[in-house]
Amino acid sequence: MLKIGRRDFLVSGTAASASAAIGVQGLGQILFSKEARAAIGDTLTIAYNVAPPSWDPNIGPSSTNPSLQTIYRTIYDTYMMQREDLTLAPGIIDQWSWNADKSAISLRVRQNGTWHDGKPVTPEDIVWNLRRLTDASLGAPLQVSFAGLKNFKIDGQTITMDMTQPWRATMLERLAFLGCFLLAPHHHEKVGKEGFERAPMGSGPYKFDQYERGSFLRLKAHPGYWGGKPLFETVIFKIVTDAASRVAEIERGSSHVTMDLQYEEYDRLRQKSGLSGVAAPTTDIAMMFFHSTGPMADINVRKAAMHAVDKKLIVDRLLRGYGKPVDTLSVPQEKVFDQGIVTQYDPKLAAELLAKSGYSREKPIEFTVQTTRGFRPKDYEIVQAIVEMWRQVGIKGNIEVYEPAKHFELRMSHKLAPAAFYVWGNSMGDPETSIASAIRSVSPHSSWKSPDVDAIADPLFGERDEQKRIAGYQRLNRYVAENGYLFPLFQIYQPVVFKSELDFKPHLAGYVLPTAFGRK
Amino acid sequence: MTVSYLLRRLLFTLPTILGVIVIVFVLLRVVPGDPIAMMIGSEATPEDIQRLREVYGLDKSIPHQFVVYLGNLLTGDFGTSISLKQNALTLVLGRLPATLELAIVAMVIAVACGLALALVATYWRKSWVSPVIDAFDSIALSIPEFLWALLLVLAFGVLFANLPISGRFDPARQTDFVTQFYLFESLLRGRFADALDLLRYLLLPALALALPLMAIISRVLSGSLREALGQDYILLARVKGFSAARVLLRHALPNALLPTITITGVHFIFLVGGTVLVELIFSYPGIGNMLFGAAMNRDLPLIQSVTIVFALLFIGLNFLIDLSYTLVNPRVKVG
């Protein structure tokens, strides 16, 4: 065996002691220095789940990504605002109206709006943004929705424009929704597209301070905000895409707010001292697309697939009660919601319907069911539960897991499987962007395509009488439910955990806006 | 080593790079996921979809797209990111330093700890210390980086909440870095408070990456050291009366290092590859984190740029490793 010599021992010992003295001091500083466990002073820190790819919220994929709305709405104003219940509220545009025959819109620009550099928001600035919104050459995915806006005229603080074809009853609501954020024209023209990506400027409650891409976004209160100076001087969005890390962030106190957690974690966290939670309903609906060809062309199979599923059981067991079963593609908070549309859980009826088409538990109908796994809370487990319920009545569902990107590609090319799980978001709260988008044949988002539906849905796009329009959509919802063209499952609740010192006002669209937080 | 050898080696890398470009380009067009499908609104008509394809250069046939892409690459144009709307190469090069700093710190930790463990295990190879280190190595090696990352988040992020678990530096800190090499820059500029802050944020992700490599280094070096200790020249050294530590450090270690250097170099490449998930878990703003976002958005130009830069990095590292053999061991001939 090797022995340690005296000299070796002394030399090694001295070296080790010296290293230890230096190392321990350094390591001590690293390990035990001031932790970013900030008390809520002037800074609100939010552990957020999505990083904004671009600071142009109107062009490119960012413009259609609902998850980015919270951050965009913190920096930019939309033309009008959306209240927590999704009704329109004054924003930079403080008055809006249609003309009598709904062929023109007028918008009044508020007097006291300012860009983040202090310059006033003028009607010319708004028209610059409107022209950009309708410019086909920019490649904005939502441009087609606004292509009917033409002939912008300014008179004092008021802008008028014609609403030509494609005419949209929801044009005013759309101006408070996706892709309608106001950018500072003078700044955009001065710094250019790439410069704007480095230093964006809007007129929202918080102004851009620093963005460490993929790590954090630091914002400072906009003192000239028309709605009054925001409560927190600084807002930090920590970009924490991993759900376990978000839980750790709030649990250790280095963030004050987080969201998009598993419901088990939500329940655990909100019971901890110093933390509170809200799981509020949103307009997101978990649903299943049915394909209009193949096995789902048989109405008995479709209806059986719907009657066989106990949605309440899924919500109670898998989502710990945080959800509400729905039978149409609308939620109770929407004006189109019709509580008379009900698809009963009735496995006996499901079996009878299948028997009519010659299927049974012994001789089941077999088809593929597509789902993501881990993209939405419990998505795969929900589909597993559904497949098991189907098995009980005579449907054999073969689960195929795919990525969201593949879902979108298959959906656009009308190649989804006979059944495909998806979460439909409708932050505008109008049936035009829910049932109509999900079911019209011309929509690239529909999987069921049939002329009978189009005959009901298409005329509603041109309907100028609001009552008739909503009644028409209620009729469409009932027709779709009766024929089982798509399968709504449940309304999704958004879990938000935050420090107990804070108050939080949830938004039906699921936004977690810094301005929705107050101090107790 | 001659200049002609270096040039020849560089020339040989060109087909590899071209191969990577072709494979990445074709694979990205073959795998499911259409970037246009992910961004269109519900009212988009086939004409609108076609217009968007034209805007993003996706309307042409794959061979046509490839020729255009290759032509652009030759002029240094890697394309514009679809989701970030900036020059793809600029974006990648902007993030690369963060990943390199993370990989280098992880490497330093792995080498220092692996070396120390191997020496301790060899020195006390007949006591209980050696099997304990062996067991520790086995555990460190059998758990992948991303799982270490999650364990470290739990241990140091929640249970003993002393270290930050997300980001690269304190978001409340005002910074004015000139380069993207924040840690090296702050050290060079003598801004030790910044360096310390950066190290605090680096420690956990670097440790997650370092642990498996550390175990490999410890294992390989221990084996080599034990083999070396059985050689005649070691016996001679002992006969001469040198102390055990001197025999180990001065005589056995230099001869045992070569296989360790080789394996460390090769595994450094895997370590860089392993940053993707670790960066994601720690929200560390490196190239891996960017690659994940690009893949989710099917941002083809950005994915291509990240992959090509990764490939260039790997080829460069391999090249350097090959060269280092000749420097460390003159018996290895070049050419």
Side-chain angles (χ1 to χ4, degrees), chain A residues 341-362:
Chain A
I341 302 172
V342 178
T343 305
Q344 291 290 353
Y345 165 57
D346 190 343
K348 197 165 158 240
L349 174 62
E352 286 168 12
L353 286 165
L354 286 171
K356 280 188 199 170
S357 293
Y359 303 114
S360 63
R361 283 185 68 168
E362 291 70 36

Side-chain angles (χ1 to χ4, degrees), chain A residues 1-5 8 12 26-27 29-37 52-56 59-65 135-145 166 168 174 193-194 197-198 209-210 212-216 218 220 236 238-242 244-245 247-249 251-252 254 375 403-406 408-409 412 432-433 437 440 442-445 461, chain B residues 31-46 48-49 51-53 55-56 80 82-87 91 95 122-127 150 153 156-158 160-175 180 182 196 199-201 203 229 238 243-248 280-286 289-290 292 295-298:
Chain A
M1 183 182 167
L2 291 168
K3 287 181 183 172
I4 306 172
D8 290 326
S12 312
L27 197 65
Q29 273 185 301
I30 290 173
L31 290 175
F32 304 109
S33 64
K34 180 181 69 69
E35 163 55 7
R37 201 178 308 181
S54 163
W55 290 116
D56 187 337
I59 291 172
S62 305
S63 63
T64 49
N65 184 346
D135 184 348
S137 68
L138 294 175
L142 295 172
Q143 182 271 340
V144 62
S145 304
R168 290 289 172 266
R174 282 172 190 267
K193 264 195 307 189
E194 294 224 352
E197 288 294 338
R198 285 189 291 275
D209 185 29
Q210 187 178 355
E212 187 71 14
R213 196 176 279 286
S215 179
F216 70 84
R218 190 174 58 226
K220 293 286 179 189
I236 293 169
K238 283 188 182 178
I239 309 300
V240 189
T241 46
D242 182 64
S245 302
V247 170
E249 275 287 328
E251 199 162 8
R252 73 206 296 268
S254 48
F375 180 59
E403 277 185 87
K406 187 176 175 188
F408 288 114
E409 183 179 282
M412 188 177 79
E432 200 169 279
T433 42
S437 294
R440 287 174 78 213
V442 292
S443 168
H445 299 322
F461 270 69
Chain B
V31 295
D34 179 347
I36 303 300
M38 297 186 69
M39 65 168 90
I40 50 166
S42 59
E43 293 170 43
T45 60
D48 297 320
I49 293 168
R51 185 171 46 78
L52 279 173
R53 286 200 188 290
V55 168
Y56 292 104
T80 303
I82 292 174
S83 58
L84 309 183
K85 295 202 283 294
Q86 292 179 60
N87 182 286
L91 285 165
R95 290 282 197 101
T122 311
Y123 196 91
W124 280 290
R125 62 189 178 282
K126 289 181 183 166
S127 74
L150 290 172
V153 165
F156 293 99
V158 180
F160 311 103
N162 290 312
L163 288 167
I165 53 167
S166 69
R168 196 176 176 195
F169 59 89
D170 185 353
R173 184 181 279 269
Q174 294 289 341
T175 55
Q180 295 295 318
Y182 294 169
L196 216 55
L199 276 172
R200 289 180 65 235
Y201 279 79
L203 193 58
L229 286 172
R238 282 183 187 149
S243 69
R246 183 170 172 167
V247 168
L248 184 64
L280 203 65
I281 290 167
F282 288 102
S283 300
Y284 186 83
N289 207 334
M290 177 186 262
F292 182 81
M296 290 301 285
N297 287 310
R298 288 296 188 273

Side-chain angles (χ1 to χ4, degrees), chain B residues 4-335:
Chain B
S4 70
Y5 167 73
L6 288 176
L7 286 174
R8 209 163 53 242
R9 279 300 311 265
L10 281 173
L11 208 63
F12 285 149
T13 60
L14 290 179
T16 316
I17 294 167
L18 187 66
V20 169
I21 291 169
V22 173
I23 290 168
V24 170
F25 190 89
V26 174
L27 272 183
L28 283 177
R29 264 93 189 147
V30 171
V31 295
D34 179 347
I36 303 300
M38 297 186 69
M39 65 168 90
I40 50 166
S42 59
E43 293 170 43
T45 60
E47 294 73 37
D48 297 320
I49 293 168
Q50 180 60 21
R51 185 171 46 78
L52 279 173
R53 286 200 188 290
E54 285 166 21
V55 168
Y56 292 104
L58 300 168
D59 56 323
K60 306 284 189 303
S61 67
I62 291 179
H64 186 112
Q65 284 184 46
F66 182 71
V67 170
V68 172
Y69 177 64
L70 205 59
N72 289 341
L73 274 186
L74 290 174
T75 62
D77 179 5
F78 278 55
T80 303
S81 156
I82 292 174
S83 58
L84 309 183
K85 295 202 283 294
Q86 292 179 60
N87 182 286
L89 184 63
T90 310
L91 285 165
V92 175
L93 294 181
R95 290 282 197 101
L96 186 61
T99 296
L100 287 180
E101 279 192 347
L102 172 62
I104 289 168
V105 171
M107 186 73 175
V108 169
I109 294 173
V111 169
C113 297
L115 198 74
L117 285 175
L119 287 171
V120 170
T122 311
Y123 196 91
W124 280 290
R125 62 189 178 282
K126 289 181 183 166
S127 74
W128 57 269
V129 176
S130 182
V132 167
I133 290 176
D134 257 3
F136 176 73
D137 285 347
S138 298
I139 294 169
L141 199 55
S142 56
I143 297 177
E145 292 96 338
F146 75 91
L147 205 52
W148 274 122
L150 290 172
L151 290 170
L152 290 171
V153 165
L154 181 68
F156 293 99
V158 180
L159 299 177
F160 311 103
N162 290 312
L163 288 167
I165 53 167
S166 69
R168 196 176 176 195
F169 59 89
D170 185 353
R173 184 181 279 269
Q174 294 289 341
T175 55
D176 60 342
F177 294 112
V178 180
T179 68
Q180 295 295 318
F181 286 99
Y182 294 169
L183 179 62
F184 301 145
E185 184 188 328
S186 51
L187 285 170
L188 287 172
R189 289 168 71 182
R191 290 159 50 163
F192 297 113
D194 282 346
L196 216 55
D197 186 46
L198 287 156
L199 276 172
R200 289 180 65 235
Y201 279 79
L202 259 179
L203 193 58
L204 290 185
L207 202 56
L209 284 169
L211 281 167
L213 180 58
M214 177 206 71
I216 291 171
I217 292 172
S218 168
R219 280 272 169 93
V220 171
L221 188 58
S222 287
S224 304
L225 281 170
R226 284 170 200 204
E227 197 182 317
L229 286 172
Q231 300 296 316
D232 290 345
Y233 63 87
I234 295 293
L235 187 63
L236 181 65
R238 282 183 187 149
V239 168
K240 282 184 175 176
F242 294 150
S243 69
R246 183 170 172 167
V247 168
L248 184 64
L249 295 173
R250 296 259 179 91
H251 297 271
L253 184 61
N255 290 293
L257 269 182
L258 194 63
T260 312
I261 291 173
T262 311
I263 201 119
T264 305
V266 172
H267 277 270
F268 181 67
I269 295 170
F270 292 123
L271 185 140
V272 174
T275 56
V276 176
L277 283 176
V278 171
E279 284 184 3
L280 203 65
I281 290 167
F282 288 102
S283 300
Y284 186 83
I287 203 170
N289 207 334
M290 177 186 262
L291 181 62
F292 182 81
M296 290 301 285
N297 287 310
R298 288 296 188 273
D299 190 337
L300 303 181
L302 194 54
I303 300 172
Q304 283 161 186
S305 303
V306 172
T307 320
I308 290 168
V309 168
F310 255 129
L312 288 174
L313 194 66
F314 291 170
I315 290 167
L317 283 170
N318 263 324
F319 184 59
L320 289 176
I321 292 162
D322 286 355
L323 291 185
S324 72
Y325 294 160
T326 60
L327 297 174
V328 174
N329 189 347
R331 285 175 298 177
V332 176
K333 298 287 182 197
V334 297

Side-chain angles (χ1 to χ4, degrees), chain A residues 351-401:
Chain A
E352 286 168 12
L353 286 165
L354 286 171
K356 280 188 199 170
S357 293
Y359 303 114
S360 63
R361 283 185 68 168
E362 291 70 36
K363 190 191 154 203
I365 169 91
E366 187 173 347
F367 54 81
T368 303
V369 193
Q370 292 169 324
T371 179
T372 48
R373 189 172 192 163
F375 180 59
R376 300 298 298 236
K378 297 277 193 307
D379 45 7
Y380 183 74
E381 290 80 359
I382 289 165
V383 172
Q384 273 187 315
I386 290 172
V387 165
E388 179 53 28
M389 290 174 191
W390 281 352
R391 194 184 63 77
Q392 304 285 337
V393 297
I395 297 173
K396 187 178 175 198
N398 300 313
I399 301 177
E400 179 188 310
V401 176

